[in-house]
Amino acid sequence: MQRGLPRNPIQSSDAVVRTYMKPIAALVSDECFARGLACGFGRGTRLMTSDGQVPVDEIEPGEAVLDFEGRPHFVLWQGGWDVQPMAGWAGDPRHPVVISANAFGPGKPRRDLYLSQQNRVMVEADKPDALLRAVALAPHLARIDLSGRAVSYHVVVTRSPCLLMAENLPCQSHQPGARGLWDIGADSECFTHHLPQEMEQGVALRP
């Protein structure tokens, strides 16, 4: 369903999808979360978009998500993974971090926010460099859910990292690192600096 800012009508070619999106899918996996390398949002987390709050799992490539300053960033890719943490083992990076509603002040976040441990959160108002990994917020501003319940994490990729408003709390989008891209044979320079312009403008890319 199309919402908010119009998408670029140009459709991506299979070659573009293979070149730029397949590396992301290869990088973000259960193993990636097990190693604490992915910035994921729990299923149902509402992100601010050009059309208001939308659950992360319903956001489609080409839609515009808004950062903490209200600037739009077109989504290049969104995907979800079900992971199974080991109950009771605090050393399992797959356990979600739960930031309680209002932990950072009224409405920040609006409701309990589930994040992967690697996801970074802006901890000081209007200071985008003041970022802490979600796991570092425990036990004072968050808790780690050690119940072992299966978790569905969703990853949002924009052209460059940005601070998305997740339940009204600025949290970082996912950006594959150069080392990770190198490990799977992808051209990190091409990915991080030379994405086709039509992708930045919101071409609908398939996850």
Side-chain angles (χ1 to χ4, degrees):
M1 179 175 66
Q2 184 166 334
R3 294 182 285 262
L5 295 177
R7 299 184 188 183
N8 189 306
I10 303 173
Q11 295 299 306
S12 61
S13 68
D14 288 342
V16 169
V17 173
R18 285 196 302 270
T19 302
Y20 297 98
M21 296 298 99
K22 189 176 179 180
I24 302 175
L27 281 173
V28 185
S29 62
D30 181 272
E31 180 183 358
C32 196
F33 286 106
R35 294 169 60 192
L37 300 176
C39 295
F41 301 93
R43 182 180 178 86
T45 298
R46 296 172 299 187
L47 302 184
M48 184 59 70
T49 74
S50 57
D51 197 42
Q53 295 187 81
V54 177
V56 62
D57 42 293
E58 295 181 11
I59 290 176
E60 300 176 2
E63 291 194 56
V65 289
L66 304 184
D67 65 19
F68 76 104
E69 294 179 314
R71 295 176 300 189
H73 299 262
F74 284 104
V75 173
L76 302 179
W77 190 85
Q78 185 270 118
W81 281 264
D82 295 325
V83 301
Q84 183 64 64
M86 186 177 296
W89 182 39
D92 189 341
R94 294 172 296 183
H95 288 300
V97 174
V98 186
I99 302 176
S100 299
N102 308 311
F104 286 86
K108 297 181 179 181
R110 289 194 174 96
R111 60 179 185 176
D112 289 358
L113 174 61
Y114 287 72
L115 300 173
S116 67
Q117 295 188 20
Q118 177 68 9
N119 208 320
R120 286 171 169 76
V121 178
M122 189 170 77
V123 295
E124 293 187 44
D126 300 320
K127 292 186 177 181
D129 293 331
L131 301 175
L132 281 180
R133 290 196 307 152
V135 67
L137 301 177
H140 302 295
L141 293 170
R143 62 181 174 85
I144 300 175
D145 182 356
L146 300 178
S147 66
R149 289 190 295 265
V151 185
S152 179
Y153 288 120
H154 284 258
V155 170
V156 175
V157 177
T158 52
R159 183 184 178 96
S160 57
C162 62
L163 292 170
L164 305 175
M165 296 302 291
E167 301 294 350
N168 201 38
L169 191 67
C171 302
Q172 195 170 42
S173 63
H174 181 78
Q175 184 74 2
R179 175 57 188 268
L181 288 167
W182 182 84
D183 285 343
I184 61 171
D187 187 341
S188 61
E189 285 294 314
C190 187
F191 182 85
T192 55
H193 299 296
H194 302 293
L195 284 171
Q197 186 64 29
E198 62 266 22
M199 291 174 68
E200 172 68 3
Q201 294 170 347
V203 174
L205 297 174
R206 298 189 299 275

